[in-house]
């Protein structure tokens, strides 16, 4: 599947991005085992719907494989058509902002809060962090908080188990499901295997 939930949901994902006032670019990540027919099918699907798409072959070709995608993004930036806006009014309560994200972006039916999350929200709003943006921390495998319900499931509710401040960055983080937040680093950081060769090639990313 080219995107979370497959091609039928591609337009919806682009609409989600555009809801923030910014244009969408579909980065089609290609791997050595992908066929030309598969790549062409996704590219054609995007073209027929007026969706900007660019092929990225960074897995196989490194930085050179991302040049086309980079050019497309730069061209879009040069048009200066971006007018970023939040999905919600920042002055609304934290719960209302979380529920807006869950319903309008994830397609969920609603939100449950643990007692710990309820207490955290009340405290954050008391100390003046209620009018900040909300960052959702959840599994990357699903638009729900359940990693076993892959892609874009239907008829789900998300459980927020805690809400923590990121006061320096100016937002709060809603923790949904069993998710590890950064720094989730391995014993040997990947950076130790990376280097830039004298001719500018980046090595060790994969």
């Amino acid at each position: 599947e080219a995107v979370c939930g497959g091609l039928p949901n591609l337009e919806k994902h682009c609409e989600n991005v555009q809801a923030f006032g910014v244009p969408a670019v579909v980065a089609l990540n290609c791997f050595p085992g992908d066929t030309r027919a598969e790549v062409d099918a996704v590219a054609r699907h995007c073209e027929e719907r007026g969706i900007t798409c660019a092929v990225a072959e960074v897995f196989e070709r490194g930085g050179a494989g991302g040049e086309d995608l980079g050019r497309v993004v730069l061209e879009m930036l040069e048009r200066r058509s971006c007018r970023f806006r939040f999905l919600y009014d920042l002055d609304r309560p934290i719960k209302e902002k979380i529920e807006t994200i869950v319903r309008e972006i994830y397609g969920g039916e609603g939100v449950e809060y643990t007692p710990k999350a309820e207490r955290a929200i009340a405290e954050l709003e008391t100390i003046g962090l209620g009018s900040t943006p909300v960052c959702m921390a959840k599994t990357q495998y699903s638009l729900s908080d359940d990693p076993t319900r892959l892609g874009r499931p239907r008829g789900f509710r998300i459980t927020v188990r805690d809400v923590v401040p990121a006061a320096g960055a100016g937002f709060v983080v809603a923790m949904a499901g069993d998710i590890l937040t950064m720094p989730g680093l391995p014993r040997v950081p990947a950076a130790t295997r990376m280097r830039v060769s004298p001719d500018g090639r980046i090595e060790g990313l994969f």
Side-chain angles (χ1 to χ4, degrees):
E1 291 187 337
V3 294
C4 179
L7 284 178
N9 286 311
L10 183 59
E11 298 97 309
K12 179 58 178 175
H13 290 289
C14 290
E15 288 173 7
N16 286 346
V17 172
Q18 292 164 347
F20 293 91
V22 297
V25 176
V26 172
L28 181 51
N29 292 318
C30 293
F31 297 89
D34 295 337
T35 67
R36 174 50 56 185
E38 291 171 325
V39 174
D40 289 346
V42 178
R44 185 168 56 253
H45 185 89
C46 291
E47 183 179 0
E48 290 171 353
R49 289 155 181 80
I51 299 171
T52 302
C53 174
V55 173
E57 298 176 297
V58 294
F59 183 87
E60 183 176 14
R61 298 173 55 217
E67 289 180 357
D68 287 343
L69 173 61
R71 277 192 289 270
V72 169
V73 172
L74 286 173
E75 288 171 4
M76 188 165 284
L77 289 173
E78 288 171 358
R79 296 176 197 152
R80 299 186 180 275
S81 59
C82 298
R83 296 291 184 272
F84 175 79
R85 59 179 178 270
F86 286 101
L87 191 66
Y88 41 67
D89 184 340
L90 288 178
D91 291 329
R92 303 307 298 166
I94 289 175
K95 279 188 177 181
E96 186 174 318
K97 288 181 280 195
I98 292 173
E99 288 158 13
T100 298
I101 295 170
V102 169
R103 293 181 186 278
E104 296 191 19
I105 300 298
Y106 301 154
E109 294 185 348
V111 185
E112 307 290 344
Y113 300 89
T114 65
K116 182 178 182 180
E118 295 274 10
R119 292 192 298 270
I121 289 170
E123 181 177 355
L124 289 168
E125 292 182 336
T126 297
I127 63 175
L129 289 176
S131 60
T132 61
V134 171
C135 174
M136 300 292 292
K138 54 177 281 302
T139 178
Q140 71 272 33
Y141 298 113
S142 173
L143 287 180
S144 73
D145 57 357
D146 182 352
T148 67
R149 300 187 66 181
L150 301 178
R152 189 180 178 87
R154 303 296 181 186
F156 65 89
R157 296 178 68 84
I158 280 182
T159 298
V160 174
R161 59 180 173 82
D162 197 6
V163 182
V164 298
F171 56 84
V172 297
V173 182
M175 313 284 289
D178 184 19
I179 186 70
L180 177 66
T181 56
M182 294 295 287
L185 300 176
R187 290 179 182 274
V188 180
T192 61
R193 301 189 299 273
M194 299 176 191
R195 74 183 189 90
V196 180
S197 64
D199 62 358
R201 289 183 298 109
I202 301 174
E203 301 174 355
L205 289 177
F206 303 102

